[in-house]
PDB file of all heavy atoms in Angstrom:
ATOM      1  N   VAL A  36      29.037  42.931  12.164  1.00 92.00           N
ATOM      2  CA  VAL A  36      30.277  43.675  11.898  1.00 92.00           C
ATOM      3  C   VAL A  36      30.089  45.140  12.243  1.00 92.00           C
ATOM      4  O   VAL A  36      30.957  45.769  12.839  1.00 92.00           O
ATOM      5  CB  VAL A  36      30.698  43.501  10.417  1.00 92.00           C
ATOM      6  CG1 VAL A  36      31.782  44.489  10.035  1.00 92.00           C
ATOM      7  CG2 VAL A  36      31.169  42.087  10.184  1.00 92.00           C
ATOM      8  N   ARG A  37      28.940  45.688  11.889  1.00 91.00           N
ATOM      9  CA  ARG A  37      28.673  47.101  12.189  1.00 91.00           C
ATOM     10  C   ARG A  37      28.601  47.343  13.697  1.00 91.00           C
ATOM     11  O   ARG A  37      29.099  48.350  14.201  1.00 91.00           O
ATOM     12  CB  ARG A  37      27.371  47.529  11.532  1.00 91.00           C
ATOM     13  CG  ARG A  37      26.979  48.950  11.858  1.00 91.00           C
ATOM     14  CD  ARG A  37      25.770  49.361  11.102  1.00 91.00           C
ATOM     15  NE  ARG A  37      26.200  49.802   9.777  1.00 91.00           N
ATOM     16  CZ  ARG A  37      25.415  50.432   8.931  1.00 91.00           C
ATOM     17  NH1 ARG A  37      24.165  50.655   9.232  1.00 91.00           N
ATOM     18  NH2 ARG A  37      25.878  50.815   7.767  1.00 91.00           N
ATOM     19  N   LEU A  38      28.006  46.415  14.432  1.00 90.00           N
ATOM     20  CA  LEU A  38      27.879  46.604  15.876  1.00 90.00           C
ATOM     21  C   LEU A  38      29.204  46.408  16.596  1.00 90.00           C
ATOM     22  O   LEU A  38      29.450  47.029  17.638  1.00 90.00           O
ATOM     23  CB  LEU A  38      26.841  45.634  16.449  1.00 90.00           C
ATOM     24  CG  LEU A  38      25.393  45.941  16.075  1.00 90.00           C
ATOM     25  CD1 LEU A  38      24.474  44.857  16.620  1.00 90.00           C
ATOM     26  CD2 LEU A  38      24.967  47.303  16.604  1.00 90.00           C
ATOM     27  N   LEU A  39      30.076  45.545  16.086  1.00 89.00           N
ATOM     28  CA  LEU A  39      31.345  45.280  16.756  1.00 89.00           C
ATOM     29  C   LEU A  39      32.410  46.310  16.421  1.00 89.00           C
ATOM     30  O   LEU A  39      33.405  46.414  17.136  1.00 89.00           O
ATOM     31  CB  LEU A  39      31.846  43.884  16.384  1.00 89.00           C
ATOM     32  CG  LEU A  39      31.022  42.739  16.943  1.00 89.00           C
ATOM     33  CD1 LEU A  39      31.557  41.404  16.439  1.00 89.00           C
ATOM     34  CD2 LEU A  39      31.028  42.765  18.462  1.00 89.00           C
ATOM     35  N   ARG A  40      32.226  47.065  15.336  1.00 85.00           N
ATOM     36  CA  ARG A  40      33.215  48.065  14.948  1.00 85.00           C
ATOM     37  C   ARG A  40      33.135  49.239  15.929  1.00 85.00           C
ATOM     38  O   ARG A  40      32.057  49.753  16.194  1.00 85.00           O
ATOM     39  CB  ARG A  40      32.926  48.567  13.539  1.00 85.00           C
ATOM     40  CG  ARG A  40      33.969  49.529  13.041  1.00 85.00           C
ATOM     41  CD  ARG A  40      33.658  50.039  11.666  1.00 85.00           C
ATOM     42  NE  ARG A  40      33.341  48.941  10.757  1.00 85.00           N
ATOM     43  CZ  ARG A  40      32.561  49.090   9.689  1.00 85.00           C
ATOM     44  NH1 ARG A  40      32.021  50.244   9.420  1.00 85.00           N
ATOM     45  NH2 ARG A  40      32.314  48.064   8.908  1.00 85.00           N
ATOM     46  N   PRO A  41      34.274  49.652  16.502  1.00 79.00           N
ATOM     47  CA  PRO A  41      34.233  50.784  17.426  1.00 79.00           C
ATOM     48  C   PRO A  41      33.792  52.054  16.705  1.00 79.00           C
ATOM     49  O   PRO A  41      34.183  52.323  15.586  1.00 79.00           O
ATOM     50  CB  PRO A  41      35.669  50.914  17.923  1.00 79.00           C
ATOM     51  CG  PRO A  41      36.470  49.906  17.218  1.00 79.00           C
ATOM     52  CD  PRO A  41      35.601  49.110  16.322  1.00 79.00           C
ATOM     53  N   ARG A  42      32.958  52.812  17.395  1.00 76.00           N
ATOM     54  CA  ARG A  42      32.456  54.044  16.791  1.00 76.00           C
ATOM     55  C   ARG A  42      33.469  55.159  16.919  1.00 76.00           C
ATOM     56  O   ARG A  42      34.165  55.275  17.915  1.00 76.00           O
ATOM     57  CB  ARG A  42      31.157  54.463  17.470  1.00 76.00           C
ATOM     58  CG  ARG A  42      30.057  53.473  17.221  1.00 76.00           C
ATOM     59  CD  ARG A  42      28.773  53.948  17.793  1.00 76.00           C
ATOM     60  NE  ARG A  42      27.746  52.928  17.546  1.00 76.00           N
ATOM     61  CZ  ARG A  42      26.482  53.116  17.754  1.00 76.00           C
ATOM     62  NH1 ARG A  42      26.060  54.252  18.232  1.00 76.00           N
ATOM     63  NH2 ARG A  42      25.633  52.169  17.491  1.00 76.00           N
ATOM     64  N   GLY A  43      33.522  55.983  15.937  1.00 69.00           N
ATOM     65  CA  GLY A  43      34.393  57.148  15.982  1.00 69.00           C
ATOM     66  C   GLY A  43      35.858  56.815  15.900  1.00 69.00           C
ATOM     67  O   GLY A  43      36.702  57.654  16.179  1.00 69.00           O
ATOM     68  N   CYS A  44      36.186  55.616  15.537  1.00 61.00           N
ATOM     69  CA  CYS A  44      37.589  55.214  15.461  1.00 61.00           C
ATOM     70  C   CYS A  44      38.017  55.257  14.005  1.00 61.00           C
ATOM     71  O   CYS A  44      37.884  54.296  13.283  1.00 61.00           O
ATOM     72  CB  CYS A  44      37.778  53.806  16.023  1.00 61.00           C
ATOM     73  SG  CYS A  44      39.500  53.299  16.047  1.00 61.00           S
ATOM     74  N   ARG A  45      38.473  56.417  13.603  1.00 65.00           N
ATOM     75  CA  ARG A  45      38.942  56.581  12.239  1.00 65.00           C
ATOM     76  C   ARG A  45      40.435  56.821  12.272  1.00 65.00           C
ATOM     77  O   ARG A  45      40.957  57.385  13.227  1.00 65.00           O
ATOM     78  CB  ARG A  45      38.246  57.759  11.584  1.00 65.00           C
ATOM     79  CG  ARG A  45      36.772  57.499  11.360  1.00 65.00           C
ATOM     80  CD  ARG A  45      36.175  58.584  10.507  1.00 65.00           C
ATOM     81  NE  ARG A  45      34.781  58.269  10.244  1.00 65.00           N
ATOM     82  CZ  ARG A  45      33.820  59.144  10.209  1.00 65.00           C
ATOM     83  NH1 ARG A  45      34.088  60.414  10.423  1.00 65.00           N
ATOM     84  NH2 ARG A  45      32.596  58.788   9.956  1.00 65.00           N
ATOM     85  N   PRO A  46      41.126  56.439  11.222  1.00 65.00           N
ATOM     86  CA  PRO A  46      42.566  56.696  11.200  1.00 65.00           C
ATOM     87  C   PRO A  46      42.827  58.204  11.188  1.00 65.00           C
ATOM     88  O   PRO A  46      42.077  58.954  10.580  1.00 65.00           O
ATOM     89  CB  PRO A  46      43.038  56.046   9.900  1.00 65.00           C
ATOM     90  CG  PRO A  46      41.821  55.789   9.104  1.00 65.00           C
ATOM     91  CD  PRO A  46      40.662  55.741  10.044  1.00 65.00           C
ATOM     92  N   PRO A  47      43.869  58.650  11.877  1.00 64.00           N
ATOM     93  CA  PRO A  47      44.140  60.077  11.927  1.00 64.00           C
ATOM     94  C   PRO A  47      44.505  60.600  10.543  1.00 64.00           C
ATOM     95  O   PRO A  47      45.066  59.875   9.715  1.00 64.00           O
ATOM     96  CB  PRO A  47      45.318  60.190  12.888  1.00 64.00           C
ATOM     97  CG  PRO A  47      45.935  58.846  12.897  1.00 64.00           C
ATOM     98  CD  PRO A  47      44.833  57.864  12.605  1.00 64.00           C
ATOM     99  N   ALA A  48      44.196  61.857  10.341  1.00 70.00           N
ATOM    100  CA  ALA A  48      44.532  62.479   9.067  1.00 70.00           C
ATOM    101  C   ALA A  48      46.053  62.570   8.953  1.00 70.00           C
ATOM    102  O   ALA A  48      46.768  62.728   9.939  1.00 70.00           O
ATOM    103  CB  ALA A  48      43.908  63.862   8.985  1.00 70.00           C
TER     104      ALA A  48
END
Side-chain angles (χ1 to χ4, degrees):
V36 167
R37 177 175 276 191
L38 289 176
L39 291 176
R40 184 181 311 153
R42 294 185 181 190
C44 184
R45 292 190 177 141

